[in-house]
Amino acid sequence: MNGSSKSARGGFASRLGFMWAAVGSAVGLGNIWKFPYITGEYGGGAFVLTYLVCILVVGLPLMYSELIIGRRGGKDILGALRDLTKEAGLPGTLLSWLTGAMAVLTGFLILSFYAVVAGWAVHFFVLSVGGLELNGGAGETFGALVANGPLAAIWHTVFMAITIFVVTRGVQGGIEAACKILMPTLVGILGILLVYVAFTGGLGESLIFLFRPDFSKLSGDAVLEALGHTFFTLSLGMGVMVTYGSYLKDEIHVLRDGFWVAVLDTVIALMAGAVIFAVVFSNDLEPSAGPGLLFATLPGLFVGMPGGALVSTAFFLLVVFAALSSAISLLEVVVAYMVDEFGVLRLWATLGMGFAIWLLGLASAFGLNMPGFLPEALGGGQAVLDTLDNLTTKYLLPLGGLLIAVAAGWMLSKQDRESGFSALPGNGGLLVSSWTFLIRFVTPVLILLVILKGIGIIDFSD
Ligand code: TRP
């Protein structure tokens, strides 16, 4: 299919290039910041096990769906869905418009606050390089940063500038080239940190906490949190994998590559968790510190460790790298949309959209609140950062995932649906039917549960 126009849009140079970019998108603050702290809050092993099941029954089927839709469409998310519904003979323009527009909007909103949190990591990286002198402890240092709008805005700006720069360079020369360096370095640093904590203590306890399930601690809420996190951590529900899939050259490897992306993402989250909890336990602290775990707890513990400033430098460099390759993918969805739908030059699309996202991000950086006249559901009076995080993770991503599942399960032709399995022995027989069953029935129902929980219609909290 339209091979020439595809090469004009660019694409990944190699399979490995695609892999690094997709893993780069998936591995981010979700793995290193969010996964450890929600695991800590929900009590460890049983939550981890639930999360692994969610990756298997919701994450993987959806990952494959996005990649195959993108691969066959060869366009941004809106264009791919529009062609898909048209070919299926459905009056689906409205649906594809809604899904596509929502995806682009979601990317826009996520990146605006994601870059601010990443900016905090840059701040701690710079502090660590400077010898990790914390004035009055990590909690205070973090509190002072969050309260200091201009300072947070500076790091937000630095981070956005780098992200924009990479994306202007294009898929191959920018995204692929950056991720090919960022990701292996990240795995290397994480490996070294793991070895380090194996010697400084706490690793055994940390592994027990992560892998010994205590089901008495598992609530319905924890299950839905695990499910919601599956979207975020695998970059699903807003077309990142559709967009990256559109740069793929054939469908032979879609299945296997998607599988490896999910495996690597999961392994890296577990490694990060193992390192973080080892530090926490070796200092006799509780793992349930919440969102502040990464910024308000860890640096304080690094200070007391042998070679602490160096460890801290490596650690926050890791966080910044992880966040950067994810931010790139968020911006790329928005840019691909401008390029493919409106024929804007990549350079201008990236600069324009990047600027707009940066501008919106300032609201989070300065700790502004949403206008008080808004209803509570839209975050009236709440911090912009928290509101955007909630709005996107709890509603927009699951909703996008639901629509993509419906499109993949019910609108793709049989041939397209199965094309990614064709390289398997017997054309994937049992796997194809399992995937079809999951994506048609199981995934949509589970996603609906997440959304209903988000709206507060169901509540499992006890
Ligand atoms: N997956 C990334 C993380 O874990 C974040 C991310 C990048 C993302 N692109 C996304 C989340 C698209 C949702 C949708 O940090």
Side-chain angles (χ1 to χ4, degrees):
M1 215 177 29
N2 56 5
S4 56
S5 72
K6 240 179 219 184
S7 51
R9 312 169 59 229
F12 294 109
S14 64
R15 248 194 77 215
L16 221 56
F18 161 78
M19 283 291 292
W20 286 128
V23 173
S25 171
V27 175
L29 296 170
N31 304 59
I32 301 175
W33 167 60
K34 199 161 180 205
F35 173 74
Y37 94 70
I38 54 180
T39 300
E41 281 184 336
Y42 287 105
F47 178 81
V48 173
L49 201 63
T50 312
Y51 162 78
L52 293 178
V53 173
C54 289
I55 296 275
L56 211 62
V57 299
V58 176
L60 278 177
L62 213 53
M63 170 76 76
Y64 172 74
S65 307
E66 287 207 15
L67 288 174
I68 206 79
I69 288 178
R71 158 63 204 142
R72 79 175 283 293
K75 290 200 177 118
D76 68 306
I77 170 142
L78 199 157
L81 287 174
R82 196 180 41 223
D83 293 355
L84 179 58
T85 43
K86 243 193 244 157
E87 282 166 38
L90 291 166
T93 344
L94 183 67
L95 179 76
S96 49
W97 244 101
L98 274 179
T99 316
M102 195 175 71
V104 173
L105 177 74
T106 310
F108 198 95
L109 297 178
I110 294 184
L111 184 52
S112 81
F113 72 82
Y114 199 87
V116 173
V117 179
W120 297 344
V122 179
H123 178 70
F124 276 99
F125 169 71
V126 173
L127 281 183
S128 310
V129 172
L132 202 62
E133 310 276 346
L134 302 175
N135 269 333
E140 284 73 7
T141 308
F142 179 57
L145 168 66
V146 174
N148 186 343
L151 183 62
I154 287 175
W155 297 126
H156 161 63
T157 307
V158 169
F159 184 82
M160 273 309 291
I162 303 175
T163 306
I164 292 170
F165 173 73
V166 173
V167 177
T168 56
R169 306 290 310 260
V171 176
Q172 203 171 335
I175 299 177
E176 179 172 339
C179 292
K180 231 162 50 186
I181 301 171
L182 294 178
M183 282 301 112
T185 314
L186 178 144
V187 174
I189 298 177
L190 203 50
I192 294 172
L193 288 175
L194 206 56
V195 172
Y196 175 85
V197 294
F199 286 103
T200 50
L203 184 60
E205 223 178 319
S206 169
L207 293 177
I208 289 174
F209 179 72
L210 281 175
F211 293 111
R212 185 184 289 166
D214 172 0
F215 287 101
S216 67
K217 285 186 182 158
L218 197 65
S219 61
D221 249 354
V223 174
L224 293 180
E225 179 81 40
L227 195 54
H229 184 61
T230 301
F231 291 98
F232 194 85
T233 192
L234 291 179
S235 301
L236 296 172
M238 57 147 281
V240 166
M241 295 302 163
V242 174
T243 307
Y244 279 9
S246 76
Y247 300 122
L248 275 177
K249 301 222 168 6
D250 59 52
E251 38 269 297
I252 306 296
H253 303 297
V254 165
L255 190 69
R256 185 175 57 186
D257 291 354
F259 173 79
W260 279 112
V261 171
V263 168
L264 277 168
D265 183 73
T266 307
V267 169
I268 291 176
L270 291 172
M271 282 170 77
V275 169
I276 291 174
F277 290 122
V279 176
V280 168
F281 286 128
S282 66
N283 285 274
D284 286 327
L285 281 173
E286 285 299 316
S288 53
L293 184 64
L294 190 70
F295 298 110
T297 308
L298 273 189
L301 305 181
F302 287 142
V303 170
M305 295 170 76
L310 202 63
V311 178
S312 187
T313 304
F315 182 80
F316 282 103
L317 187 65
L318 170 94
V319 181
V320 173
F321 277 15
L324 181 60
S325 55
S326 299
I328 290 170
S329 74
L330 287 161
L331 184 55
E332 175 60 22
V333 171
V334 182
V335 168
Y337 165 76
M338 297 304 287
V339 170
D340 291 343
E341 296 298 316
F342 303 104
V344 184
L345 274 182
R346 168 172 282 273
L347 178 67
W348 295 120
T350 314
L351 291 177
M353 290 293 112
F355 177 77
I357 293 169
W358 169 79
L359 203 61
L360 177 64
L362 288 181
S364 295
F366 279 94
L368 300 188
N369 288 337
M370 301 291 283
F373 58 79
L374 288 174
E376 205 179 315
L378 284 175
Q382 306 268 314
V384 172
L385 197 157
D386 298 342
T387 306
L388 291 181
D389 187 3
N390 265 324
L391 181 71
T392 50
T393 316
K394 284 197 182 145
Y395 307 99
L396 295 178
L397 290 179
L399 197 58
L402 180 64
L403 293 169
I404 290 169
V406 170
W410 300 95
M411 295 180 193
L412 276 179
S413 70
K414 185 169 157 49
Q415 193 197 350
D416 278 331
R417 268 192 283 122
E418 300 182 353
S419 56
F421 294 89
S422 60
L424 296 176
N427 289 339
L430 191 61
L431 268 183
V432 173
S433 28
S434 318
W435 173 75
T436 310
F437 177 72
L438 286 172
I439 204 72
R440 286 194 164 169
F441 304 104
V442 181
T443 313
V445 170
L446 289 177
I447 297 177
L448 265 179
L449 282 179
V450 176
I451 297 173
L452 293 180
K453 181 215 168 205
I455 304 176
I457 292 182
I458 43 175
D459 182 7
F460 288 119
S461 48
D462 34 46

